[in-house]
Short mmCIF file of all heavy atoms in Angstrom, two decimals:
data_model
loop_
_atom_site.label_atom_id
_atom_site.label_comp_id
_atom_site.label_asym_id
_atom_site.label_seq_id
_atom_site.Cartn_x
_atom_site.Cartn_y
_atom_site.Cartn_z
N ILE A 6 82.81 52.71 48.86
CA ILE A 6 83.72 53.54 49.63
C ILE A 6 85.10 52.90 49.69
O ILE A 6 86.13 53.57 49.50
CB ILE A 6 83.16 53.82 51.04
CG1 ILE A 6 81.94 54.73 50.94
CG2 ILE A 6 84.21 54.44 51.95
CD1 ILE A 6 81.16 54.89 52.22
N ASP A 7 85.14 51.59 49.93
CA ASP A 7 86.42 50.87 49.96
C ASP A 7 87.14 50.98 48.62
O ASP A 7 88.36 51.16 48.57
CB ASP A 7 86.21 49.40 50.30
CG ASP A 7 85.88 49.17 51.76
OD1 ASP A 7 86.07 50.11 52.58
OD2 ASP A 7 85.43 48.06 52.11
N ARG A 8 86.40 50.87 47.54
CA ARG A 8 87.01 50.96 46.20
C ARG A 8 87.54 52.36 45.93
O ARG A 8 88.61 52.52 45.35
CB ARG A 8 85.99 50.54 45.13
CG ARG A 8 86.55 50.57 43.74
CD ARG A 8 87.69 49.57 43.56
NE ARG A 8 88.24 49.71 42.22
CZ ARG A 8 89.53 49.71 41.94
NH1 ARG A 8 90.43 49.54 42.87
NH2 ARG A 8 89.95 49.86 40.71
N ILE A 9 86.82 53.38 46.35
CA ILE A 9 87.28 54.76 46.16
C ILE A 9 88.57 54.98 46.94
O ILE A 9 89.53 55.57 46.43
CB ILE A 9 86.20 55.77 46.59
CG1 ILE A 9 85.01 55.69 45.63
CG2 ILE A 9 86.76 57.19 46.64
CD1 ILE A 9 83.78 56.42 46.11
N ILE A 10 88.62 54.51 48.18
CA ILE A 10 89.83 54.65 49.00
C ILE A 10 91.00 53.91 48.35
O ILE A 10 92.11 54.43 48.27
CB ILE A 10 89.57 54.15 50.44
CG1 ILE A 10 88.61 55.11 51.15
CG2 ILE A 10 90.88 54.02 51.21
CD1 ILE A 10 88.11 54.62 52.49
N GLU A 11 90.73 52.72 47.85
CA GLU A 11 91.77 51.95 47.17
C GLU A 11 92.30 52.69 45.95
O GLU A 11 93.50 52.77 45.73
CB GLU A 11 91.20 50.59 46.77
CG GLU A 11 92.19 49.67 46.10
CD GLU A 11 91.56 48.35 45.69
OE1 GLU A 11 90.40 48.08 46.05
OE2 GLU A 11 92.25 47.58 45.00
N MET A 12 91.39 53.24 45.15
CA MET A 12 91.80 53.98 43.95
C MET A 12 92.57 55.24 44.32
O MET A 12 93.52 55.62 43.63
CB MET A 12 90.57 54.33 43.11
CG MET A 12 89.93 53.14 42.44
SD MET A 12 88.40 53.55 41.59
CE MET A 12 89.04 54.35 40.12
N ALA A 13 92.15 55.90 45.40
CA ALA A 13 92.83 57.13 45.82
C ALA A 13 94.26 56.84 46.28
O ALA A 13 95.16 57.65 46.09
CB ALA A 13 92.04 57.81 46.94
N TRP A 14 94.49 55.68 46.88
CA TRP A 14 95.83 55.30 47.34
C TRP A 14 96.75 54.91 46.18
O TRP A 14 97.96 55.03 46.27
CB TRP A 14 95.77 54.13 48.33
CG TRP A 14 95.68 54.59 49.75
CD1 TRP A 14 94.58 54.57 50.54
CD2 TRP A 14 96.74 55.11 50.57
NE1 TRP A 14 94.88 55.05 51.79
CE2 TRP A 14 96.21 55.38 51.84
CE3 TRP A 14 98.09 55.36 50.36
CZ2 TRP A 14 96.96 55.91 52.87
CZ3 TRP A 14 98.85 55.88 51.39
CH2 TRP A 14 98.28 56.15 52.63
N GLU A 15 96.18 54.42 45.08
CA GLU A 15 96.99 54.00 43.94
C GLU A 15 97.64 55.21 43.28
O GLU A 15 96.99 56.21 43.01
CB GLU A 15 96.12 53.26 42.91
CG GLU A 15 95.59 51.95 43.40
CD GLU A 15 94.55 51.34 42.49
OE1 GLU A 15 94.09 52.01 41.55
OE2 GLU A 15 94.18 50.18 42.73
N ASP A 16 98.93 55.09 43.00
CA ASP A 16 99.67 56.22 42.42
C ASP A 16 99.20 56.59 41.03
O ASP A 16 99.12 57.76 40.68
CB ASP A 16 101.17 55.90 42.37
CG ASP A 16 101.79 55.84 43.75
OD1 ASP A 16 101.22 56.42 44.68
OD2 ASP A 16 102.85 55.20 43.89
N ARG A 17 98.90 55.62 40.23
CA ARG A 17 98.60 55.88 38.82
C ARG A 17 97.12 56.12 38.52
O ARG A 17 96.77 56.45 37.40
CB ARG A 17 99.10 54.73 37.96
CG ARG A 17 100.57 54.49 38.11
CD ARG A 17 101.33 55.13 36.99
NE ARG A 17 102.76 54.93 37.19
CZ ARG A 17 103.65 55.86 36.91
NH1 ARG A 17 103.28 57.01 36.45
NH2 ARG A 17 104.92 55.63 37.10
N THR A 18 96.24 55.96 39.50
CA THR A 18 94.82 56.21 39.28
C THR A 18 94.55 57.69 39.48
O THR A 18 94.80 58.23 40.55
CB THR A 18 93.96 55.38 40.25
OG1 THR A 18 94.27 54.01 40.09
CG2 THR A 18 92.48 55.61 39.98
N THR A 19 94.04 58.33 38.46
CA THR A 19 93.80 59.78 38.55
C THR A 19 92.49 60.09 39.26
O THR A 19 91.60 59.25 39.35
CB THR A 19 93.74 60.39 37.13
OG1 THR A 19 92.64 59.83 36.43
CG2 THR A 19 95.02 60.15 36.35
N PHE A 20 92.40 61.32 39.72
CA PHE A 20 91.15 61.78 40.31
C PHE A 20 90.06 61.84 39.23
O PHE A 20 88.89 61.67 39.52
CB PHE A 20 91.32 63.16 40.96
CG PHE A 20 92.11 63.12 42.24
CD1 PHE A 20 93.33 63.73 42.36
CD2 PHE A 20 91.60 62.46 43.36
CE1 PHE A 20 94.04 63.70 43.54
CE2 PHE A 20 92.30 62.41 44.55
CZ PHE A 20 93.53 63.03 44.64
N ASP A 21 90.47 62.05 37.98
CA ASP A 21 89.51 62.05 36.88
C ASP A 21 88.86 60.68 36.72
O ASP A 21 87.66 60.58 36.43
CB ASP A 21 90.20 62.44 35.57
CG ASP A 21 90.74 63.86 35.60
OD1 ASP A 21 90.10 64.71 36.24
OD2 ASP A 21 91.80 64.10 35.00
N ALA A 22 89.63 59.61 36.91
CA ALA A 22 89.09 58.25 36.81
C ALA A 22 88.09 58.00 37.93
O ALA A 22 87.05 57.36 37.71
CB ALA A 22 90.22 57.22 36.85
N ILE A 23 88.39 58.49 39.12
CA ILE A 23 87.46 58.34 40.25
C ILE A 23 86.18 59.12 39.98
O ILE A 23 85.08 58.63 40.23
CB ILE A 23 88.13 58.78 41.57
CG1 ILE A 23 89.32 57.87 41.89
CG2 ILE A 23 87.12 58.78 42.71
CD1 ILE A 23 90.17 58.35 43.05
N GLN A 24 86.33 60.32 39.43
CA GLN A 24 85.15 61.13 39.12
C GLN A 24 84.31 60.45 38.03
O GLN A 24 83.08 60.42 38.13
CB GLN A 24 85.55 62.53 38.67
CG GLN A 24 84.36 63.42 38.41
CD GLN A 24 84.75 64.85 38.09
OE1 GLN A 24 85.93 65.18 38.00
NE2 GLN A 24 83.76 65.69 37.93
N PHE A 25 84.96 59.89 37.03
CA PHE A 25 84.23 59.22 35.95
C PHE A 25 83.45 58.03 36.48
O PHE A 25 82.30 57.81 36.11
CB PHE A 25 85.22 58.78 34.85
CG PHE A 25 84.56 58.02 33.74
CD1 PHE A 25 83.83 58.68 32.77
CD2 PHE A 25 84.67 56.64 33.65
CE1 PHE A 25 83.21 57.99 31.73
CE2 PHE A 25 84.07 55.93 32.64
CZ PHE A 25 83.34 56.61 31.67
N GLN A 26 84.08 57.25 37.36
CA GLN A 26 83.45 56.02 37.84
C GLN A 26 82.43 56.26 38.95
O GLN A 26 81.39 55.61 38.99
CB GLN A 26 84.52 55.05 38.34
CG GLN A 26 83.99 53.67 38.62
CD GLN A 26 85.11 52.66 38.82
OE1 GLN A 26 86.27 52.93 38.59
NE2 GLN A 26 84.74 51.49 39.26
N PHE A 27 82.72 57.20 39.86
CA PHE A 27 81.87 57.38 41.03
C PHE A 27 81.21 58.75 41.12
O PHE A 27 80.39 58.98 42.00
CB PHE A 27 82.67 57.13 42.31
CG PHE A 27 83.14 55.71 42.44
CD1 PHE A 27 84.43 55.36 42.09
CD2 PHE A 27 82.28 54.72 42.88
CE1 PHE A 27 84.86 54.04 42.21
CE2 PHE A 27 82.69 53.41 43.00
CZ PHE A 27 84.00 53.07 42.65
N GLY A 28 81.60 59.70 40.25
CA GLY A 28 80.99 61.02 40.26
C GLY A 28 81.49 61.94 41.38
O GLY A 28 80.84 62.93 41.68
N LEU A 29 82.63 61.62 41.98
CA LEU A 29 83.18 62.44 43.06
C LEU A 29 84.34 63.27 42.53
O LEU A 29 85.27 62.75 41.91
CB LEU A 29 83.70 61.57 44.21
CG LEU A 29 82.69 60.74 44.98
CD1 LEU A 29 83.40 59.88 46.01
CD2 LEU A 29 81.68 61.63 45.65
N LYS A 30 84.29 64.57 42.78
CA LYS A 30 85.39 65.46 42.40
C LYS A 30 86.54 65.27 43.38
O LYS A 30 86.39 64.66 44.43
CB LYS A 30 84.91 66.90 42.40
CG LYS A 30 83.84 67.17 41.37
CD LYS A 30 83.41 68.59 41.40
CE LYS A 30 82.30 68.80 40.38
NZ LYS A 30 81.78 70.14 40.39
N GLU A 31 87.68 65.85 43.05
CA GLU A 31 88.88 65.70 43.88
C GLU A 31 88.62 66.13 45.33
O GLU A 31 88.99 65.42 46.27
CB GLU A 31 90.04 66.51 43.30
CG GLU A 31 91.31 66.42 44.09
CD GLU A 31 92.45 67.21 43.49
OE1 GLU A 31 92.32 67.74 42.37
OE2 GLU A 31 93.49 67.30 44.16
N GLN A 32 87.98 67.26 45.52
CA GLN A 32 87.71 67.76 46.87
C GLN A 32 86.78 66.80 47.64
O GLN A 32 86.96 66.58 48.83
CB GLN A 32 87.10 69.17 46.81
CG GLN A 32 86.95 69.81 48.17
CD GLN A 32 88.28 69.95 48.90
OE1 GLN A 32 89.30 70.29 48.32
NE2 GLN A 32 88.27 69.68 50.18
N GLU A 33 85.83 66.22 46.95
CA GLU A 33 84.93 65.26 47.59
C GLU A 33 85.66 63.97 47.99
O GLU A 33 85.38 63.38 49.03
CB GLU A 33 83.75 64.94 46.67
CG GLU A 33 82.85 66.13 46.43
CD GLU A 33 81.84 65.89 45.33
OE1 GLU A 33 82.18 65.27 44.30
OE2 GLU A 33 80.68 66.32 45.52
N VAL A 34 86.63 63.57 47.17
CA VAL A 34 87.45 62.40 47.51
C VAL A 34 88.28 62.70 48.76
O VAL A 34 88.37 61.88 49.67
CB VAL A 34 88.36 61.99 46.33
CG1 VAL A 34 89.34 60.91 46.75
CG2 VAL A 34 87.54 61.53 45.14
N ILE A 35 88.84 63.90 48.83
CA ILE A 35 89.63 64.31 49.99
C ILE A 35 88.76 64.30 51.24
O ILE A 35 89.17 63.78 52.29
CB ILE A 35 90.26 65.70 49.75
CG1 ILE A 35 91.32 65.60 48.65
CG2 ILE A 35 90.87 66.24 51.05
CD1 ILE A 35 91.82 66.95 48.15
N GLU A 36 87.55 64.82 51.14
CA GLU A 36 86.63 64.83 52.29
C GLU A 36 86.25 63.41 52.71
O GLU A 36 86.18 63.11 53.90
CB GLU A 36 85.38 65.65 51.95
CG GLU A 36 85.65 67.13 51.83
CD GLU A 36 84.49 67.91 51.23
OE1 GLU A 36 83.41 67.31 51.02
OE2 GLU A 36 84.67 69.11 50.96
N LEU A 37 86.02 62.54 51.74
CA LEU A 37 85.70 61.15 52.04
C LEU A 37 86.87 60.46 52.75
O LEU A 37 86.68 59.76 53.74
CB LEU A 37 85.36 60.39 50.76
CG LEU A 37 85.07 58.90 50.95
CD1 LEU A 37 83.62 58.71 51.38
CD2 LEU A 37 85.34 58.14 49.68
N MET A 38 88.07 60.69 52.24
CA MET A 38 89.26 60.10 52.86
C MET A 38 89.43 60.61 54.29
O MET A 38 89.75 59.83 55.19
CB MET A 38 90.52 60.42 52.03
CG MET A 38 90.50 59.85 50.63
SD MET A 38 90.65 58.07 50.56
CE MET A 38 92.41 57.89 50.68
N ARG A 39 89.22 61.88 54.50
CA ARG A 39 89.34 62.46 55.84
C ARG A 39 88.33 61.83 56.80
O ARG A 39 88.65 61.52 57.94
CB ARG A 39 89.12 63.97 55.79
CG ARG A 39 89.35 64.68 57.11
CD ARG A 39 88.97 66.15 57.07
NE ARG A 39 89.40 66.84 55.88
CZ ARG A 39 90.53 67.57 55.78
NH1 ARG A 39 91.33 67.67 56.80
NH2 ARG A 39 90.82 68.19 54.67
N LYS A 40 87.12 61.60 56.31
CA LYS A 40 86.05 61.04 57.15
C LYS A 40 86.27 59.56 57.45
O LYS A 40 86.02 59.11 58.57
CB LYS A 40 84.71 61.24 56.42
CG LYS A 40 83.51 60.77 57.20
CD LYS A 40 82.25 61.03 56.40
CE LYS A 40 81.47 59.75 56.33
NZ LYS A 40 80.38 59.75 55.41
N GLU A 41 86.75 58.80 56.48
CA GLU A 41 86.82 57.35 56.59
C GLU A 41 88.12 56.81 57.16
O GLU A 41 88.18 55.66 57.58
CB GLU A 41 86.58 56.70 55.22
CG GLU A 41 85.20 56.94 54.65
CD GLU A 41 84.11 56.25 55.43
OE1 GLU A 41 84.35 55.17 56.00
OE2 GLU A 41 82.99 56.80 55.48
N MET A 42 89.17 57.62 57.17
CA MET A 42 90.47 57.13 57.61
C MET A 42 90.87 57.70 58.96
O MET A 42 90.35 58.73 59.39
CB MET A 42 91.54 57.52 56.57
CG MET A 42 91.29 56.92 55.22
SD MET A 42 92.41 57.55 53.96
CE MET A 42 93.93 56.84 54.49
N LYS A 43 91.82 57.02 59.60
CA LYS A 43 92.40 57.57 60.82
C LYS A 43 93.17 58.83 60.44
O LYS A 43 93.64 58.96 59.30
CB LYS A 43 93.37 56.57 61.47
CG LYS A 43 92.71 55.34 61.99
CD LYS A 43 93.68 54.48 62.80
CE LYS A 43 94.94 54.14 62.00
NZ LYS A 43 95.81 53.20 62.70
N LEU A 44 93.31 59.75 61.37
CA LEU A 44 93.97 61.02 61.10
C LEU A 44 95.40 60.81 60.59
O LEU A 44 95.82 61.45 59.61
CB LEU A 44 93.97 61.90 62.35
CG LEU A 44 94.61 63.28 62.19
CD1 LEU A 44 93.89 64.09 61.12
CD2 LEU A 44 94.59 64.02 63.52
N SER A 45 96.13 59.91 61.21
CA SER A 45 97.52 59.68 60.79
C SER A 45 97.60 59.11 59.37
O SER A 45 98.46 59.50 58.58
CB SER A 45 98.24 58.76 61.77
OG SER A 45 97.60 57.50 61.83
N SER A 46 96.67 58.22 59.03
CA SER A 46 96.63 57.65 57.68
C SER A 46 96.24 58.71 56.66
O SER A 46 96.80 58.75 55.55
CB SER A 46 95.64 56.49 57.61
OG SER A 46 96.03 55.45 58.47
N PHE A 47 95.29 59.57 57.02
CA PHE A 47 94.88 60.64 56.11
C PHE A 47 96.05 61.58 55.84
O PHE A 47 96.31 61.96 54.70
CB PHE A 47 93.69 61.41 56.68
CG PHE A 47 93.33 62.61 55.87
CD1 PHE A 47 92.69 62.48 54.65
CD2 PHE A 47 93.68 63.89 56.31
CE1 PHE A 47 92.38 63.59 53.88
CE2 PHE A 47 93.37 65.00 55.55
CZ PHE A 47 92.72 64.85 54.33
N ARG A 48 96.77 61.96 56.89
CA ARG A 48 97.92 62.86 56.72
C ARG A 48 98.99 62.23 55.83
O ARG A 48 99.59 62.90 54.99
CB ARG A 48 98.51 63.22 58.08
CG ARG A 48 97.68 64.21 58.83
CD ARG A 48 98.34 64.60 60.13
NE ARG A 48 97.53 65.58 60.84
CZ ARG A 48 97.57 65.76 62.13
NH1 ARG A 48 98.37 65.02 62.89
NH2 ARG A 48 96.81 66.66 62.70
N MET A 49 99.24 60.94 56.03
CA MET A 49 100.22 60.24 55.21
C MET A 49 99.76 60.24 53.75
O MET A 49 100.56 60.47 52.83
CB MET A 49 100.38 58.81 55.71
CG MET A 49 101.47 58.05 55.01
SD MET A 49 101.81 56.36 55.58
CE MET A 49 100.55 55.98 56.73
N TRP A 50 98.49 59.99 53.50
CA TRP A 50 97.96 59.99 52.14
C TRP A 50 98.06 61.37 51.50
O TRP A 50 98.48 61.49 50.36
CB TRP A 50 96.51 59.50 52.14
CG TRP A 50 95.86 59.58 50.80
CD1 TRP A 50 96.06 58.74 49.75
CD2 TRP A 50 94.92 60.56 50.35
NE1 TRP A 50 95.30 59.14 48.67
CE2 TRP A 50 94.59 60.25 49.02
CE3 TRP A 50 94.32 61.66 50.96
CZ2 TRP A 50 93.70 61.01 48.28
CZ3 TRP A 50 93.42 62.42 50.22
CH2 TRP A 50 93.12 62.09 48.90
N ARG A 51 97.68 62.40 52.25
CA ARG A 51 97.73 63.77 51.71
C ARG A 51 99.16 64.16 51.36
O ARG A 51 99.41 64.78 50.33
CB ARG A 51 97.17 64.78 52.71
CG ARG A 51 95.67 64.82 52.76
CD ARG A 51 95.04 65.19 51.44
NE ARG A 51 95.29 66.59 51.13
CZ ARG A 51 95.27 67.10 49.90
NH1 ARG A 51 94.99 66.34 48.88
NH2 ARG A 51 95.50 68.36 49.70
N LYS A 52 100.09 63.80 52.22
CA LYS A 52 101.50 64.10 51.95
C LYS A 52 101.96 63.38 50.69
O LYS A 52 102.68 63.94 49.87
CB LYS A 52 102.36 63.68 53.15
CG LYS A 52 103.81 64.03 53.03
CD LYS A 52 104.56 63.64 54.28
CE LYS A 52 106.03 63.99 54.16
NZ LYS A 52 106.79 63.56 55.33
N ARG A 53 101.51 62.15 50.52
CA ARG A 53 101.88 61.34 49.36
C ARG A 53 101.26 61.88 48.07
O ARG A 53 101.91 61.90 47.02
CB ARG A 53 101.41 59.92 49.61
CG ARG A 53 101.71 58.94 48.53
CD ARG A 53 101.12 57.58 48.92
NE ARG A 53 101.25 56.63 47.88
CZ ARG A 53 102.30 55.84 47.71
NH1 ARG A 53 103.30 55.90 48.55
NH2 ARG A 53 102.34 54.98 46.72
N VAL A 54 100.02 62.32 48.13
CA VAL A 54 99.30 62.74 46.93
C VAL A 54 99.61 64.17 46.52
O VAL A 54 99.59 64.50 45.34
CB VAL A 54 97.77 62.57 47.16
CG1 VAL A 54 96.96 63.19 46.05
CG2 VAL A 54 97.43 61.10 47.28
N SER A 55 99.90 65.03 47.47
CA SER A 55 100.13 66.45 47.18
C SER A 55 101.30 66.61 46.21
O SER A 55 102.40 66.13 46.45
CB SER A 55 100.42 67.22 48.46
OG SER A 55 99.30 67.20 49.30
N GLY A 56 101.03 67.26 45.12
CA GLY A 56 102.06 67.53 44.13
C GLY A 56 102.38 66.37 43.20
O GLY A 56 103.25 66.48 42.34
N ARG A 57 101.70 65.26 43.34
CA ARG A 57 101.96 64.09 42.49
C ARG A 57 101.27 64.30 41.14
O ARG A 57 100.06 64.40 41.05
CB ARG A 57 101.43 62.83 43.16
CG ARG A 57 101.82 61.56 42.42
CD ARG A 57 101.47 60.36 43.24
NE ARG A 57 102.31 60.26 44.42
CZ ARG A 57 103.40 59.50 44.51
NH1 ARG A 57 103.75 58.77 43.49
NH2 ARG A 57 104.10 59.46 45.61
N THR A 58 102.07 64.36 40.08
CA THR A 58 101.51 64.64 38.75
C THR A 58 100.68 63.49 38.21
O THR A 58 99.80 63.70 37.38
CB THR A 58 102.62 64.97 37.74
OG1 THR A 58 103.54 63.88 37.69
CG2 THR A 58 103.36 66.23 38.13
N THR A 59 100.94 62.26 38.66
CA THR A 59 100.20 61.12 38.11
C THR A 59 98.76 61.08 38.59
O THR A 59 97.95 60.36 38.02
CB THR A 59 100.89 59.79 38.49
OG1 THR A 59 101.03 59.73 39.90
CG2 THR A 59 102.24 59.66 37.84
N LYS A 60 98.41 61.84 39.61
CA LYS A 60 97.04 61.85 40.11
C LYS A 60 96.15 62.81 39.31
O LYS A 60 94.96 62.86 39.52
CB LYS A 60 97.00 62.25 41.60
CG LYS A 60 97.61 61.22 42.53
CD LYS A 60 96.95 59.86 42.44
CE LYS A 60 95.67 59.76 43.19
NZ LYS A 60 95.09 58.41 43.15
#
Side-chain angles (χ1 to χ4, degrees):
I6 291 171
D7 286 346
R8 182 63 184 137
I9 292 167
I10 291 171
E11 182 182 352
M12 290 175 76
W14 268 104
E15 293 170 350
D16 291 338
R17 302 262 178 219
T18 303
T19 63
F20 287 115
D21 296 326
I23 296 171
Q24 183 175 3
F25 177 77
Q26 190 168 350
F27 295 99
L29 295 176
K30 296 180 182 177
E31 180 179 353
Q32 187 59 41
E33 294 170 320
V34 172
I35 292 169
E36 290 168 7
L37 177 83
M38 297 290 277
R39 185 187 317 264
K40 183 179 128 191
E41 296 293 328
M42 299 172 69
K43 294 188 305 186
L44 182 60
S45 61
S46 298
F47 173 75
R48 285 183 179 155
M49 186 177 8
W50 175 75
R51 281 300 290 157
K52 184 177 180 183
R53 180 182 174 89
V54 171
S55 296
R57 187 170 292 262
T58 57
T59 56
K60 292 302 280 183

